[in-house]
Amino acid sequence: VLRADASQSMGAGHVMRSSAIAEELIAIGKEVIFVGQITDLPWVKERIASLGFAHVYPDSNGFESNPDSDVLILDSYEIDKSDTFIAQQNWCHIVAIVDEMTPNYSCSLRIHPGLDSNWIGKSDIPILSGPRYIPIRSSLSKNRDYKSQKQRKLKVVVVAGGSDPHELVNEIAKNLVTFSEDFEVCLFSNSILDSHLDSRFRYVEVGNQLDELLEDADLVLTTASTSSLEFLARGLCVGIACVVDNQKQYYKIMGELGVAAQFGFRNMNNEWELDRETMYSLVTSNLLRQNLLAKSKELIDFQGARRIVDAITTL
């Protein structure tokens, strides 16, 4: 039983990363049920509807667990630790997807899908962490080798998760439009910038088009979130900004490993501090992009969900 929510304010990360685990469970013939509320993100709701869940419940009131056989996969920051639905006595096992912001839920196993293999959090419950345990959607694959792409305009995709509540996409666009270089920019946002952008820029409605847009992208400017790990796995050159607290660890470790270029953050006053020089270097320096790609190559494979499922089915 997968328990996760998604909305414009909280984003799609909880549902997207845990649904990759559900996808693998469904592929090996397990009965998997989704419990959660998806609000104002139709493309996320469409993914859940299409994966092959045995049942989909909008809230926990409609489902009663079997404590002798049911395993709960829990991915949330908001569910209270005292919620009766997640009480340990109601489940055969509970597996929690965790990071720095996750409450200390009672569980049998924790999964930390990040790049730091030594991350243990604040609990002594067994944990699987690091690049080997990052679940990637089965529909994705590694992009064509960067060196083999034909000479053409640089294609930049700007995306800030599934909802972009803090309008990072437009903040990045305000900087990119000041560069004189000839490039193509796809802004993945439903919020159109009031000021005029030139013909190099086009807005793309938030939805399932992103995966196709990324197939021939040369650079992705994004948040230090779950989606940035997917981009690295696909072999894309990535620049990252830190938007909210739960992205601080990803932002830090990706910078330390040199697999993504850090170009700014949202400060305590909710103001953007973006590094224009770093963004300019990402757009203009093929050497910088090649160095980032070389360091991220083979860092994340597409077997994370399978490894997690192997661990769950042997509890």
Side-chain angles (χ1 to χ4, degrees), residues 22 26 30-33 47-56:
I26 292 167
K30 300 295 183 182
E31 181 181 359
V32 189
I33 290 168
R47 171 167 169 78
I48 294 302
S50 66
L51 280 187
F53 285 100
H55 298 282
V56 175

Side-chain angles (χ1 to χ4, degrees), residues 187-208:
L187 302 171
F188 196 69
S189 175
N190 292 335
S191 177
I192 297 177
L193 191 64
D194 290 336
S195 59
H196 179 67
L197 296 176
D198 58 50
S199 60
R200 297 173 297 173
F201 297 79
R202 68 183 176 101
Y203 280 93
V204 180
E205 184 178 357
V206 173
N208 293 323

Side-chain angles (χ1 to χ4, degrees), residues 1-167:
V1 178
L2 174 62
R3 177 69 182 92
D5 301 306
S7 69
Q8 287 283 350
S9 59
M10 74 177 66
H14 294 299
V15 170
M16 294 303 287
R17 66 182 178 182
S18 54
S19 69
I21 301 171
E23 194 172 28
E24 181 69 18
L25 285 162
I26 292 167
I28 63 172
K30 300 295 183 182
E31 181 181 359
V32 189
I33 290 168
F34 179 84
V35 179
Q37 189 171 43
I38 300 173
T39 307
D40 297 327
L41 296 174
W43 59 275
V44 179
K45 187 172 289 188
E46 180 182 326
R47 171 167 169 78
I48 294 302
S50 66
L51 280 187
F53 285 100
H55 298 282
V56 175
Y57 295 94
D59 57 61
S60 58
N61 295 327
F63 177 77
E64 185 174 341
S65 60
N66 183 339
D68 295 323
S69 61
D70 291 351
V71 176
L72 174 65
I73 301 172
L74 176 62
D75 195 337
S76 177
Y77 299 150
E78 290 78 17
I79 298 173
D80 194 278
K81 292 190 293 183
S82 63
D83 191 313
T84 56
F85 182 78
I86 65 171
Q88 205 154 24
Q89 65 266 24
N90 294 331
W91 303 95
C92 182
H93 294 289
I94 297 176
V95 177
I97 313 299
V98 300
D99 58 32
E100 292 76 16
M101 302 296 292
T102 308
N104 190 16
Y105 293 124
S106 295
C107 58
S108 309
L109 177 67
R110 296 178 301 149
I111 309 292
H112 176 64
L115 296 176
D116 187 352
S117 299
N118 297 316
W119 192 94
I120 58 172
K122 299 178 181 179
S123 172
D124 58 1
I125 296 167
I127 187 167
L128 301 174
S129 61
R132 285 173 53 80
Y133 298 100
I134 295 174
I136 303 295
R137 292 175 288 148
S138 65
S139 60
L140 301 182
S141 60
K142 189 169 287 293
N143 282 28
R144 292 172 295 171
D145 183 70
Y146 184 83
K147 294 179 182 179
S148 69
Q149 295 182 5
K150 296 179 180 178
Q151 292 296 318
R152 51 173 170 72
K153 290 182 183 179
L154 186 83
K155 180 177 178 181
V156 183
V157 174
V158 183
V159 54
S163 56
D164 191 18
H166 305 293
E167 298 196 1

Side-chain angles (χ1 to χ4, degrees), residues 210-252:
L210 177 62
D211 290 341
E212 182 179 347
L213 284 174
L214 291 171
E215 287 181 2
D216 61 348
D218 301 297
L219 172 64
V220 184
L221 300 178
T222 187
T223 57
S225 59
T226 299
S227 56
S228 65
L229 300 179
E230 282 192 351
F231 303 151
L232 290 177
R234 294 181 68 174
L236 292 160
C237 181
V238 177
I240 50 171
C242 184
V243 182
V244 290
D245 285 347
N246 70 315
Q247 295 176 5
K248 288 181 178 178
Q249 177 65 13
Y250 282 175
Y251 188 77
K252 177 176 179 288

